[in-house]
Amino acid sequence: MKAIGIDIGTTTISAVVLEVTEERVVEAKTIQNGSFLRTGRDWERIQDVSVIIEKAMDVLDELLQQYPDVGAIGLTGQMHGILYVDADGKCISPLYTWQDQRGNLPEEDGMTLVDCIQAECGLHVSSGYGLVTHIYQLRKGLVPAYAAGICTIPDYLGMVLTGRQKPLMHISMAASLGFYDSREGKFREACLRQMGIDPGILPDITDVCAALGNYHGVPVTVALGDNQASFLGTVGMKENTPLLNVGTGGQISVLSDQFFETKEIEARPFLNGKYLLVGSSLCGGRAYAILEQFFRSYAVAAGAENQPQYGIMERLAENTVRPEDDMKVVTAFNGTRSNPNLRGSISDLSEDNFTPGGLILGVLTGMARELYDMFVSIQNGTGIEATELAASGNGVRKNAVLQRIFEEMFGVRLKLARCEEEAACGAAASSMLR
């Protein structure tokens, strides 16, 4: 049996044809999303829905033509962001992405909308969460006329493919909008009313991989959140196997039967009544990119060409013998979710360790340490152990030194995801669970 999985990311759109029984990717395609709209407001991050849908459907149609024996289509993509649909299920707005910052704009009293929600409801939500965006739109009179519902972009693709008029969202996506009680499995409607939201705008939700309908006779299932889809496509339902994802950001996800949350750890709904306990480092792999720019700018100032320095950096790290007194680098250059004002630091410098290779190792170790500390928090709260590690994302896939640091820190073997389109693979696999 073959299944297609489509992942609508912020920068790319990926699709795979998965041979489900053999867990083998038969075909994979990735194209640029390229749909951002320029608005002149540097805090606004919106995308053109029609461009995204057209590109996704072109890829899907091409794969269906190549593989007419496909038996199911699964969806995933960027979480948190929303678009508005009318009563006929047609999109009537841009996609307000997870990167949108309108919730962090200070009002006349100096408080942001995120601050107001914290003060009035006691909930910590971030700008870019769909219901935060919706509250802002309501207060500014910017909600489109005839708006009847909200959903994420992969949910809307499912509506277009199947002709649905009202969004149906998996709980993994619903939770990403904010104001969702993952323990109870429902939206916090009292809080929403307190913030001026009519719950009628909310989508229907489901905790199973329900079928939305058919596209050219092929069943299409509800969209999973991209974090959950990546875990399913990489780890499956294995316990005691943390998934490390290092790309632009950093993330650790652990399967759990228990609901457990802290300021840094979020319990996200998954499948079969289970949770993913997730910790995210805001800087993550970008810390290494910042260091590369540091070395590149020096090289250019010294008369070298403006070229990537990653290869040289990896060789320096490979050839550096760690002194007993390692320097310590905190890579929270963009703060943390619980403390946005925190910044990075370098300490414990000595004559022996203050070298280019030492600094590179320090940054890589700092990146790993952020995620490891989150796992320790999960371990202390739940008793979950790590018997092996799974890893995805180019930040770790292309850096053998970082892989070894993770293995040393966790004390277990690390395995890279077999397919780079992890989320699309998970979406394909989820379509067979209906």
Side-chain angles (χ1 to χ4, degrees), residues 35-37 39 44-48 94-97 100 102:
S35 64
F36 270 106
L37 297 169
T39 66
E44 189 166 44
R45 298 289 185 275
I46 61 176
Q47 292 181 323
D48 188 323
L95 168 64
Y96 304 90
T97 75
D100 194 88
R102 68 193 67 214

Side-chain angles (χ1 to χ4, degrees), residues 27 46 77 94 112 123 129 165-166 174 194 246 268 364 433:
E27 185 89 26
I46 61 176
T112 67
L123 295 178
Y129 281 26
Q165 293 183 317
K166 184 172 184 181
Q194 185 177 348
V246 182
R268 294 180 176 176
L364 290 174
L433 301 177

Side-chain angles (χ1 to χ4, degrees), residues 71 214-219:
N214 295 330
Y215 180 64
H216 295 319
V218 182

Side-chain angles (χ1 to χ4, degrees), residues 286-428:
R286 194 160 60 250
Y288 199 58
I290 291 169
L291 183 62
E292 189 272 341
Q293 284 296 320
F294 171 84
F295 284 120
R296 188 190 298 211
S297 64
Y298 177 81
V300 171
E305 294 184 17
N306 188 355
Q307 294 182 340
Q309 303 295 302
Y310 290 112
I312 298 172
M313 290 166 64
E314 187 161 358
R315 289 198 299 273
L316 283 169
E318 288 271 10
N319 296 327
T320 297
V321 178
R322 289 187 177 184
E324 293 183 4
D325 58 337
D326 278 3
M327 74 168 71
K328 292 180 175 56
V329 181
V330 175
T331 54
F333 301 146
N334 301 105
T336 64
R337 292 193 183 278
S338 61
N339 186 0
N341 296 318
L342 186 67
R343 291 295 177 263
S345 63
I346 302 175
S347 61
D348 293 356
L349 296 178
S350 72
E351 184 176 358
D352 293 328
N353 68 27
F354 190 40
T355 65
L359 180 58
I360 295 164
L361 285 174
V363 168
L364 290 174
T365 303
M367 291 162 52
R369 175 68 61 183
E370 271 199 272
L371 297 180
Y372 177 72
D373 287 347
M374 293 174 188
F375 175 72
V376 170
S377 175
I378 292 171
Q379 188 176 48
N380 291 339
T382 64
I384 292 172
E385 300 287 341
T387 55
E388 64 178 330
L389 289 176
S392 63
N394 285 336
V396 64
R397 185 184 294 277
K398 296 181 178 180
N399 197 315
V401 177
L402 181 58
Q403 294 169 29
R404 287 201 299 273
I405 291 172
F406 274 128
E407 287 185 329
E408 293 169 4
M409 199 169 285
F410 281 81
V412 294
R413 186 182 175 191
L414 180 147
K415 292 183 179 180
L416 293 174
R418 287 177 293 175
C419 175
E420 294 188 27
E421 295 81 10
E422 302 95 346
C425 286

Side-chain angles (χ1 to χ4, degrees), residues 1 28 32 34 38 78 106 172 184 192 200 222 236 262 295 329 331 335 350-351 358 381-382 384:
M1 173 69 77
Q32 292 300 306
R38 295 184 178 181
Q78 51 177 298
S172 61
E184 296 295 328
L192 290 172
V222 291
T262 68
F295 284 120
V329 181
T331 54
S350 72
E351 184 176 358
T382 64
I384 292 172

Side-chain angles (χ1 to χ4, degrees), residues 2-219:
K2 294 185 180 69
I4 290 177
I6 299 177
D7 173 22
I8 301 179
T10 312
T11 57
T12 60
I13 299 171
S14 297
V16 301
V17 179
L18 183 71
E19 179 57 63
V20 179
T21 306
E22 301 174 8
E23 297 183 349
R24 176 174 60 90
V25 174
V26 179
E27 185 89 26
K29 293 182 180 294
T30 297
I31 61 174
Q32 292 300 306
N33 184 315
S35 64
F36 270 106
L37 297 169
R38 295 184 178 181
T39 66
R41 294 181 284 271
D42 58 3
W43 47 264
E44 189 166 44
R45 298 289 185 275
I46 61 176
Q47 292 181 323
D48 188 323
V49 173
S50 62
V51 170
I52 295 172
I53 297 300
E54 181 178 357
K55 288 187 175 185
M57 292 186 68
D58 284 348
V59 172
L60 175 59
D61 289 341
E62 183 180 344
L63 291 178
L64 285 173
Q65 188 171 11
Q66 288 180 256
Y67 300 94
D69 57 338
V70 162
I73 299 167
L75 308 173
T76 187
Q78 51 177 298
M79 301 161 70
H80 307 301
I82 59 165
L83 57 88
Y84 292 94
V85 296
D86 62 17
D88 295 322
K90 303 299 182 185
C91 178
I92 53 174
S93 76
L95 168 64
Y96 304 90
T97 75
W98 62 276
Q99 297 173 323
D100 194 88
Q101 291 298 306
R102 68 193 67 214
N104 286 334
L105 296 176
E107 298 294 327
E108 292 181 4
D109 59 3
M111 294 182 68
T112 67
L113 178 54
V114 168
D115 294 333
C116 291
I117 294 170
Q118 177 73 49
E120 296 180 32
C121 299
L123 295 178
H124 175 69
V125 289
S126 299
S127 186
Y129 281 26
L131 287 169
V132 176
T133 298
H134 179 54
I135 294 169
Y136 181 93
Q137 299 293 86
L138 279 173
R139 294 187 173 188
K140 302 297 182 182
L142 298 175
V143 175
Y146 308 112
I150 58 173
C151 64
T152 71
I153 185 66
D155 292 307
Y156 183 63
L157 175 60
M159 295 174 67
V160 172
L161 293 176
T162 61
R164 288 187 66 93
Q165 293 183 317
K166 184 172 184 181
L168 175 65
M169 292 177 65
H170 189 263
I171 55 175
S172 61
M173 274 296 191
S176 78
L177 302 184
F179 290 85
Y180 187 85
D181 188 332
S182 294
R183 194 194 296 266
E184 296 295 328
K186 59 184 180 182
F187 285 105
R188 301 176 189 270
E189 292 192 6
C191 291
L192 290 172
R193 288 191 177 93
Q194 185 177 348
M195 298 305 298
I197 291 182
D198 178 358
I201 197 81
L202 298 173
D204 292 334
I205 61 174
T206 178
D207 61 356
V208 297
C209 295
L212 297 170
N214 295 330
Y215 180 64
H216 295 319
V218 182

